[in-house]
Amino acid sequence: MKEVTSPVIVRDILSRYKLSCRKNLGQNFLIDSNIANKIVAAAELRPTDLVVEIGPGLGALTARAAGSAGKVLAVEIDRGLLSALAETLEGVGDVKVIHGDALEIDFDNLVQERTGGKFGQGGERYKLLANLPYYITSPLLLRLLLKRYNISLMVVMVQLEVAARLAAAPGSKDYGALSVAAQYFTEAQILFRVPGTVFFPQPEVSSAVVRLAVRPEPAVPARDEETFFKVVRAAFGRRRKTLLNSLAGSEFGIGKGVWKAVLESSGIAPARRGETLSLAEFALITDNLLAMRG
Ligand code: SAM
């Protein structure tokens, strides 16, 4: 194992493998071993755990995770990093680096294949660990949540602003569709802030580490999940409009009269803004809409 703890080491490895930091792939490598230890500790790894890591980079988190978990599957999009990783992860526990795109891969299938069916859908739950690339944080998190992979816990480092959105309460400026999805499927908690100085190259923004503990059941019972998230998207679609206008102008294509009746039977004022609704209220609107449509 080779520890990547300074800009000098990162530069040396990259130059020996004829690589450069690819900004378009969100390559900001973690060079602080204390922070790396804290992130991996937050995943509470045991020798029986399987960990999927997204974007191992030069292996700062991968090597540590492999020291505590039974097995690590690390998915990296940049093929060039694979040979560098072979060097930094040499002699480290059970790690498999897989070349792939986290936005495309079916994670349950991957772990099923790589563990002979022990983990994944129908098998045991696994953990997800990542210092996420900035350029795809929100779509990737949404995908991980909505696909309902058989994951028990996600520990992810994201921009501070995304961390705030994941944990935001209704009515706050950060509350949006990502907050609802995160809180519907998981218990979301911001663990600690991370300054830009612990990365090479340094990003312009600060980051935070977030713990997303996947709930055994969604936080609120919605009769139909697809409609629930369609209502959420519709309510947040036009931020400065009233809830009634947002819903009536949405992809549902349902007239104002129907929405008025749905809101009335839900006990929700049509003049409210979508961003003030709680998860329970979104579920209520969903159920009353479905009831009205038969
Ligand atoms: N984990 C390393 C660390 O903490 O130093 C690297 C983190 S860096 C912020 C993000 C990593 O994700 C990079 O290695 C980048 O190449 C990789 N990456 C970017 N887009 C990806 C994608 N779509 N699928 C998988 N990996 C991706």
Side-chain angles (χ1 to χ4, degrees):
M1 169 182 168
K2 183 173 173 118
E3 281 236 48
V4 181
T5 47
S6 71
V8 175
I9 299 174
V10 174
R11 278 205 199 94
D12 169 59
I13 298 176
L14 293 179
S15 83
R16 280 192 288 109
Y17 289 92
K18 300 191 170 33
L19 301 169
S20 55
C21 285
R22 295 174 66 180
K23 204 173 172 188
N24 64 330
L25 291 181
Q27 290 181 352
N28 299 94
F29 301 109
L30 185 59
I31 52 169
D32 184 305
S33 39
N34 285 330
I35 301 282
N37 286 337
K38 269 177 85 175
I39 296 173
V40 173
E44 297 160 11
L45 298 177
R46 284 182 295 267
T48 48
D49 281 335
L50 171 73
V51 176
V52 168
E53 188 191 2
I54 295 177
L58 294 171
L61 302 177
T62 328
R64 285 177 173 78
S68 313
K71 188 181 184 71
V72 179
L73 298 175
V75 176
E76 174 56 60
I77 200 170
D78 184 356
R79 194 187 282 281
L81 286 174
L82 268 52
S83 34
L85 273 167
E87 177 184 327
T88 56
L89 296 176
E90 200 190 342
V92 164
D94 188 353
V95 182
K96 290 277 169 300
V97 180
I98 294 139
H99 177 235
D101 181 347
L103 283 173
E104 301 284 335
I105 280 185
D106 182 313
F107 286 100
D108 274 2
N109 278 350
L110 174 79
V111 304
Q112 255 171 345
E113 267 171 38
R114 301 281 174 149
T115 65
K118 185 166 186 259
F119 290 87
Q121 215 52 253
E124 291 178 35
R125 300 205 291 170
Y126 52 99
K127 293 181 174 173
L128 189 124
L129 184 67
N131 169 10
L132 286 176
Y134 291 161
Y135 76 110
I136 47 165
T137 313
S138 301
L140 189 54
L141 281 172
L142 271 178
R143 178 167 189 268
L144 291 171
L145 293 165
L146 294 171
K147 289 270 182 188
R148 302 196 119 196
Y149 289 128
N150 203 19
I151 293 172
S152 57
L153 179 70
M154 305 188 205
V155 174
V156 289
M157 177 140 64
V158 295
Q159 306 91 297
L160 198 55
E161 162 245 329
V162 175
R165 282 164 57 200
L166 289 167
S172 72
K173 71 171 183 11
D174 298 313
Y175 188 64
L178 184 64
S179 326
V180 175
Q183 293 165 33
Y184 180 81
F185 290 113
T186 76
E187 279 183 59
Q189 187 191 1
I190 301 177
L191 296 181
F192 53 91
R193 278 179 74 148
V194 179
T197 48
V198 303
F199 300 97
F200 180 80
Q202 272 190 39
E204 277 145 30
V205 293
S206 291
S207 300
V209 175
V210 180
R211 181 181 198 273
L212 299 162
V214 181
R215 301 174 186 275
E217 297 294 331
V220 292
R223 223 168 78 183
D224 178 66
E225 215 154 79
E226 209 177 300
T227 313
F228 175 85
F229 282 105
K230 211 169 153 185
V231 169
V232 171
R233 278 198 305 277
F236 287 113
R238 295 147 182 249
R239 272 223 164 214
R240 278 169 295 279
K241 297 217 175 214
T242 64
L243 179 59
L244 179 61
N245 284 340
S246 295
L247 293 172
S250 73
E251 56 174 328
F252 275 103
I254 301 173
K256 258 191 184 172
V258 176
W259 282 117
K260 236 182 172 160
V262 169
L263 292 177
E264 204 160 280
S265 56
S266 311
I268 295 169
R272 277 176 62 182
R273 310 273 153 166
E275 55 268 31
T276 66
L277 297 184
S278 67
L279 268 65
E281 288 175 318
F282 279 119
L284 208 56
I285 296 176
T286 306
D287 290 357
N288 285 320
L289 173 68
L290 291 170
M292 206 155 287
R293 293 170 119 193

